Amino acid sequence: MIFAPEYASLATSHQEVLNCLIEVFGEDLGTPLLDEGRPSGPVITLTVPASRLLAFVERLGEFDYPHLSSVSCEEREDGVILHYDFSLFRASSPGEGLMICVALSPQEQKGMIPSLSGLSPWAEYAERELTDRLAVEFQGLENRGPLLDRREEPTVPPDYVVLPLAAAGRTESFALAVRLVRGRIGSVRFHLGSLHRDVETLAMGGDSFQALPLAERLCGSCSFANALAYVRALEDASGFDVPRRARYVRSLFQELERLSSHLLWLATAFHGEGQEALLAATLALREPILDVQEKLTGKRSVSAVVAIGGVRVDLSRQGLETLQSMLAVTRRELRPFRDALLRGGLLRCRMEHRGFLPKAEAVRHGAVGPVAKASGLPVDRRSHSPYEAYGELDFLPLILERGSGEAGGDVFDRLLMRVMELSQSLDLIEKIVEGLPEGPLLAVPKRRNLVGALKEADGRGLGAVEGPRGEVIHAVTLHAGQTALSSWSVTSATRRNLSLLPRLLKGALLDDAMAIVNSLDPCLACVECLLPLKAGEELTEGGQRR
Amino acid sequence: MILPWGTKAVAAVTLMLLAALISLLFEGAGRLVRARGERRVGPPLFQPFYELVKLFGKQEQLPQDDPFRLHHGGPLIAGALSLTTFLYMPVGSLPPVLTGGGDLILVVTLLFLASLALVLGGSASDEATSGFDVEGELTLLAVSSLPLAVVLSSLAWFAYRQGLPGAPFSLETFVAKPVWIVPSWSGLLGTFILMVAFLCLLPLQAGSLRLDLFEGLEVRYSGRGLLLFRLARYFRSLALSALAVSLFFPGSLGRWLGLQESVLLAIDFLFFWVKVFVVQMVTLFGTPVLVGRFRTDLLARFFALAVTGFALAGLLLLYFDVRF
């Protein structure tokens, strides 16, 4: 199936979307519920029989490109419930995101569950993970091999070459092997598993408070995004109304993190191209941002700002002064930097026309973040489903178009997109500081009351934020009377963008491979730490579970 | 000046030892220049000497399948060939230890063979990726040979047609009377273009450009093998810079200052190494900072088309100078 790239809108409201779905699927959808007042934004919750899952997703494709945002599971006594969360960004009108949460009950899974990997390639990883973990069988899943391969020396066929990712400034243990056909890359294999930490299983032992530091440490450069998404999922499940000042503070730290992450990425990209002087210049540009974080929170990274129902730290006057001077310095330094990039030169010559990702392919693969935007796909949760203070900041998602109006999408465009996002983040920070309201920082200041509120929560909560690399989604399930998590699943941006890798590398020259891999800004820490083991399970030397 | 064989042997050994020491010193300085260009503090000046000692005692991983001992033999031959070239180069006002009518061709051939030996040494590796490196290095060696040949033959032809004293393919000819003082404006421009083309070739010939993602042939070596490989590269870099100085910057500071005999020889000797230092720092350490990592095919196209075209333009200007 090919989704229409321009997404003719068939509905005028979220209710009409639901009505259209009911019209086609009738009672198969169980008791569908549209909730427009949830903290995570408008959500339609429904069930779909496994036999009609593919038809359902194809129907969603008529409204908008249905981004498969996350696949998660919830273990119950009667079996496993599978959850598929789809994001529609323009189903009823542009700028009004709609989340469609589909549940497959254990009774519906008696037959085989159809694999969504044909419609959304990244679903392959999620399905293999579920096969690994819960022995769920997916019909049509081509690669059924274990997702987690913890062998230190992954077996690589003799005609494959392992790419040295460290040469491109990537420090992740990510065994990427390619097979060359007439000097160009023919096929790609990669192994995950070296960074596995099984964070989700760790979190199951404690209560939902204890999992917050774990969420913060899933990744270094999108620590805040993960913490915020986790907290928002809890708030979504328990219905907290976060104070306005806290929402502004959260947005501020999100943008600071974006600045820091993009500059770090730029530095690694320059290192990969052998431009060490630019690497040093970019890292120097990042220093004032880390200084601001230090001034505001006492920490340069993993700032522990976010709390359930608000934030832990306020913006001090001294911190705001440092922030203002950082804005002035970064703006001044960034302009010539961006102009020099646009003018061209060796770097442009090296990066242009490599790793081209057309808009239609970005849609098919469910690309997110700067990768999607560089291909002309305006996917940005900050504007489509505004959360925290973004709804009040009045901004549009950036997309990159060439002079002729044709969408870009090569390695250089992805670099430019991140540079453009730097400017946008500076603008947003300025707006946040200007409009910073007075008021409390926590919805429920006393911990005892907070625990009580969390114990009352019963159901599934979603927290979706636009991290530096794209959409980060956390899904949690809480049961009444408990503060412990019943389930927690994380879908990082890299997990979705990683499925682009074989597509982008195919046909590329070996010399371009590093630049292409780096242009996706893959964060293997985000992906691998989440691959779970069952309680009591261990990995054998061969990477199998026992 | 004809020296007795004994004196020649002593001079040859002394000169080669000195060149070896200077190459290490210049490498240390070059790393500092590159580091400063990249906004780093950089290593100490004598870091290559420390590495020499350290690598000598390090464990080495040798390839399993290397029947011709190319892994060590390649760098050894490359180092020896590179040092041999100094015997044919006039150092300042000192005559070369060995002379001959075609020593320019001999020096260039020795340096080419040194590059080839390094590539062959790197190819003797168990690494699956060594084939790509060797392929890339050989391609670049081949494409850089054409502009190099154009530059050298243009200079020799010009020297011959202008009636410079000595054999046209002798380095002493270019040192005795710099090509710059002979021509008219078109000849001067042509010589300048040839010089730029030659200096463009130096980083590639010396292997100082960061080419591909596999970081070149050096990663195939460890321990003493790496020591040999690095020494060969340092010697080759110094020899190439010295060749550039002999061809394009041969002037004598001592004569300009009106010095005589031993003082003249000493000052010109030092001046020669200062010029080599400047050429090496600018071309082999400065340029890579500016251009970053090159893709092999782009680089090959650049040398095969742009630099060759540039060198041919220089030849054309020299032709106009001679003809009109």
Side-chain angles (χ1 to χ4, degrees):
Chain A
M1 186 181 85
I2 298 168
F3 300 116
E6 295 311 323
Y7 328 107
S9 182
L10 295 179
T12 52
S13 67
H14 296 143
Q15 185 60 51
E16 203 176 328
V17 174
L18 180 58
N19 293 342
C20 288
L21 290 172
I22 293 172
E23 198 176 299
V24 176
F25 295 95
E27 290 180 359
D28 282 345
L29 300 183
T31 320
L33 178 71
L34 168 64
D35 188 349
E36 303 218 46
R38 276 177 65 166
S40 58
V43 176
I44 293 177
T45 315
L46 41 80
T47 58
V48 172
S51 57
R52 302 202 69 186
L53 183 63
L54 285 179
F56 179 80
V57 180
E58 289 194 2
R59 177 67 181 153
L60 289 184
E62 290 172 20
F63 292 106
D64 187 7
Y65 41 89
H67 271 286
L68 175 61
S69 292
S70 78
V71 182
S72 57
C73 68
E74 186 189 337
E75 287 181 84
R76 287 193 182 176
E77 286 176 2
D78 57 339
V80 176
I81 296 182
L82 293 184
H83 293 282
Y84 293 89
D85 302 314
F86 297 92
S87 301
L88 303 185
F89 291 118
R90 307 191 202 178
S92 53
S93 61
E96 282 190 37
L98 173 65
M99 193 75 117
I100 298 192
C101 301
V102 177
L104 256 67
S105 64
Q107 289 73 29
E108 293 291 349
Q109 298 168 28
K110 295 240 167 75
M112 292 272 271
I113 302 165
S115 167
L116 292 188
S117 56
L119 298 177
S120 186
W122 84 263
E124 180 195 318
Y125 308 122
E127 288 169 357
R128 281 167 66 192
E129 179 192 328
L130 290 171
T131 307
D132 266 15
R133 186 183 179 191
L134 303 165
V136 181
E137 290 288 321
F138 289 92
Q139 203 168 24
L141 180 62
E142 284 182 16
N143 187 355
R144 289 168 191 273
L147 187 62
L148 189 63
D149 189 348
R150 291 205 41 179
R151 285 169 290 198
E152 283 181 8
E153 292 283 337
T155 45
V156 178
D159 53 343
Y160 276 73
V161 178
V162 178
L163 298 183
L165 283 155
R170 310 299 319 184
T171 52
E172 291 93 347
S173 307
F174 173 39
L176 177 67
V178 297
R179 189 162 65 90
L180 293 179
V181 180
R182 291 180 190 163
R184 290 185 179 267
I185 294 173
S187 49
V188 178
R189 299 176 73 145
F190 54 90
H191 295 261
L192 302 171
S194 326
L195 296 170
H196 172 255
R197 282 173 284 164
D198 199 9
V199 175
E200 283 164 316
T201 307
L202 279 175
M204 291 303 112
D207 65 24
S208 43
F209 292 96
Q210 289 171 316
L212 179 54
L214 292 175
E216 255 173 351
R217 283 157 182 79
L218 290 176
C219 170
S221 56
C222 43
S223 153
F224 186 83
N226 275 302
L228 184 60
Y230 172 73
V231 162
R232 283 184 58 77
L234 286 178
E235 289 164 358
D236 186 42
S238 38
F240 283 123
D241 190 14
V242 178
R244 196 159 163 251
R245 186 175 175 87
R247 285 193 271 126
Y248 268 73
V249 174
R250 285 179 175 188
S251 302
L252 172 74
F253 277 96
Q254 263 237 281
E255 293 315 309
L256 283 175
E257 186 174 75
R258 198 179 317 281
L259 287 173
S260 164
S261 173
H262 281 1
L263 286 170
L264 185 64
W265 176 83
L266 278 170
T268 59
F270 292 141
H271 175 61
E273 297 305 319
Q275 299 282 358
E276 305 297 330
L278 283 175
L279 159 87
T282 316
L283 289 179
L285 202 57
R286 186 172 174 252
E287 275 307 295
I289 296 155
L290 297 181
D291 289 344
V292 167
Q293 295 203 135
E294 191 179 3
K295 205 62 132 185
L296 292 173
T297 68
K299 294 170 186 172
R300 289 166 73 81
S301 64
V302 192
S303 49
V305 168
V306 71
I308 300 168
V311 286
R312 283 199 184 96
V313 293
D314 201 358
L315 304 179
S316 63
R317 200 162 54 86
Q318 201 186 5
L320 283 173
E321 281 167 12
T322 319
L323 181 72
Q324 294 286 12
S325 74
M326 179 278 283
L327 285 175
V329 169
T330 313
R331 235 181 240 293
R332 194 179 60 230
E333 300 280 327
L334 197 62
R335 196 171 297 126
F337 185 71
R338 189 186 53 196
D339 293 346
L341 277 178
L342 284 170
R343 266 200 307 274
L346 280 171
L347 203 64
R348 187 167 187 165
C349 165
R350 180 78 180 76
M351 290 179 157
E352 233 172 12
H353 311 303
R354 321 277 172 236
F356 185 70
L357 177 70
K359 189 174 178 179
E361 281 294 295
V363 169
R364 197 174 83 81
H365 283 262
V368 286
V371 175
K373 285 182 247 179
S375 292
L377 199 61
V379 179
D380 192 327
R381 195 156 275 279
R382 291 174 298 172
S383 62
H384 286 309
S385 300
Y387 57 95
E388 307 306 351
Y390 290 112
E392 300 171 32
L393 297 180
D394 185 28
F395 78 105
L396 289 170
L398 294 168
I399 53 165
L400 203 67
E401 285 186 347
R402 294 183 190 280
S404 57
E406 176 199 352
D410 57 22
V411 170
F412 186 71
D413 289 334
R414 294 195 267 280
L415 182 140
L416 270 189
M417 175 47 69
R418 289 184 176 98
V419 174
M420 284 163 63
E421 281 201 347
L422 288 175
S423 302
Q424 188 189 44
S425 288
L426 291 174
D427 292 343
L428 286 172
I429 290 173
E430 253 177 20
K431 284 182 182 174
I432 289 166
V433 173
E434 277 169 20
L436 187 68
E438 291 298 326
L441 295 172
L442 286 165
V444 188
K446 291 202 172 174
R447 189 181 166 97
R448 197 190 320 146
N449 298 345
L450 189 64
V451 171
L454 283 171
K455 275 186 176 174
E456 282 173 20
D458 188 23
R460 190 163 179 267
L462 279 173
V465 302
E466 186 73 17
R469 295 179 173 93
E471 196 178 59
V472 177
I473 297 190
H474 286 229
V476 298
T477 312
L478 298 173
H479 287 311
Q482 299 175 11
T483 54
L485 294 169
S486 288
S487 76
W488 176 31
S489 90
V490 182
T491 308
S492 64
T494 300
R495 186 172 264 218
R496 294 167 65 177
N497 285 342
L498 206 58
S499 71
L500 291 164
L501 209 52
R503 161 73 181 73
L504 293 182
L505 284 176
K506 193 166 183 180
L509 285 168
L510 195 60
D511 280 355
D512 290 330
M514 286 303 95
I516 293 172
V517 173
N518 209 18
S519 72
L520 294 181
D521 193 9
C523 175
L524 275 293
C526 287
V527 175
E528 293 197 7
C529 60
L530 303 162
L531 302 173
L533 293 173
K534 272 185 187 171
E537 231 178 11
E538 283 179 9
L539 284 169
T540 63
E541 282 181 8
Q544 302 298 315
R545 291 153 200 283
R546 66 178 179 201
Chain B
M1 195 190 300
I2 298 169
L3 297 170
W5 276 107
T7 316
K8 273 189 178 179
V10 173
V13 172
T14 312
L15 185 61
M16 287 204 283
L17 279 176
L18 188 73
L21 277 177
I22 288 175
S23 72
L24 284 164
L25 197 65
F26 283 9
E27 173 68 23
R31 289 185 194 181
L32 273 174
V33 168
R34 181 182 279 195
R36 294 298 153 87
E38 293 171 355
R39 300 194 192 184
R40 290 186 287 116
V41 176
L45 180 64
F46 294 105
Q47 184 64 30
F49 292 93
Y50 304 145
E51 282 177 3
L52 198 112
V53 176
K54 186 182 76 178
L55 289 173
F56 194 77
K58 282 273 180 185
Q59 196 186 0
E60 186 176 6
Q61 273 204 320
L62 290 167
Q64 300 290 315
D65 186 22
D66 182 20
F68 302 109
R69 304 287 174 96
L70 284 173
H71 192 68
H72 277 174
L76 255 176
I77 293 170
L81 291 175
S82 303
L83 283 181
T84 308
T85 58
F86 286 99
L87 304 183
Y88 293 91
M89 284 187 208
V91 181
S93 295
L94 287 171
V97 179
L98 301 171
T99 51
D103 50 16
L104 175 57
I105 296 174
L106 182 66
V107 165
V108 173
T109 310
L110 287 176
L111 288 172
F112 180 80
L113 288 175
S115 304
L116 205 60
L118 274 182
V119 175
L120 283 176
S123 70
S125 164
D126 294 333
E127 294 274 340
T129 51
S130 66
F132 306 113
D133 294 346
V134 171
E135 202 177 285
E137 296 270 348
L138 285 176
T139 306
L140 292 175
L141 210 55
V143 295
S144 65
S145 298
L146 180 62
L148 186 66
V150 173
V151 170
L152 296 178
S153 47
S154 304
L155 281 176
W157 174 78
F158 188 59
Y160 171 70
R161 292 301 300 261
Q162 290 289 353
L164 259 60
F169 278 107
S170 169
L171 276 172
E172 273 192 295
T173 306
F174 294 95
V175 175
K177 195 167 183 186
V179 282
W180 300 102
I181 60 172
V182 179
S184 66
W185 280 108
S186 66
L188 208 61
L189 188 61
T191 312
F192 178 76
I193 287 174
L194 289 176
M195 181 193 76
V196 172
F198 187 82
L199 294 181
C200 278
L201 289 165
L202 284 194
L204 184 67
Q205 290 276 328
S208 62
L209 286 180
R210 280 164 289 201
L211 288 176
D212 52 33
L213 57 104
F214 295 109
E215 298 286 321
L217 297 169
E218 193 176 287
V219 290
R220 313 277 164 246
Y221 284 94
S222 57
R224 290 181 194 183
L226 182 58
L227 170 70
L228 286 173
F229 186 87
R230 285 195 176 166
L231 283 176
R233 273 192 50 197
Y234 302 161
F235 299 162
R236 189 177 56 164
S237 301
L238 190 75
L240 281 161
S241 307
L243 179 64
V245 168
S246 297
L247 285 173
F248 295 104
F249 313 105
S252 162
L253 181 65
R255 287 204 188 93
W256 187 70
L257 292 173
L259 302 174
Q260 299 282 318
E261 297 180 351
S262 56
V263 184
L264 169 79
L265 292 178
I267 291 294
D268 278 355
F269 183 81
L270 286 175
F271 186 51
F272 173 80
W273 291 115
V274 169
K275 286 184 286 185
V276 173
F277 177 79
V278 173
V279 167
Q280 193 164 344
M281 292 308 116
V282 172
T283 59
L284 304 191
F285 292 100
T287 316
V289 174
L290 295 175
V291 300
R293 193 191 302 279
F294 258 108
R295 220 176 60 188
T296 313
D297 66 322
L298 282 178
L299 202 61
R301 209 174 303 150
F302 174 72
F303 280 104
L305 301 175
V307 180
T308 308
F310 205 53
L312 284 171
L315 173 62
L316 201 65
L317 284 166
L318 290 186
Y319 172 77
F320 281 125
D321 182 79
V322 170
R323 184 84 179 169
F324 308 107

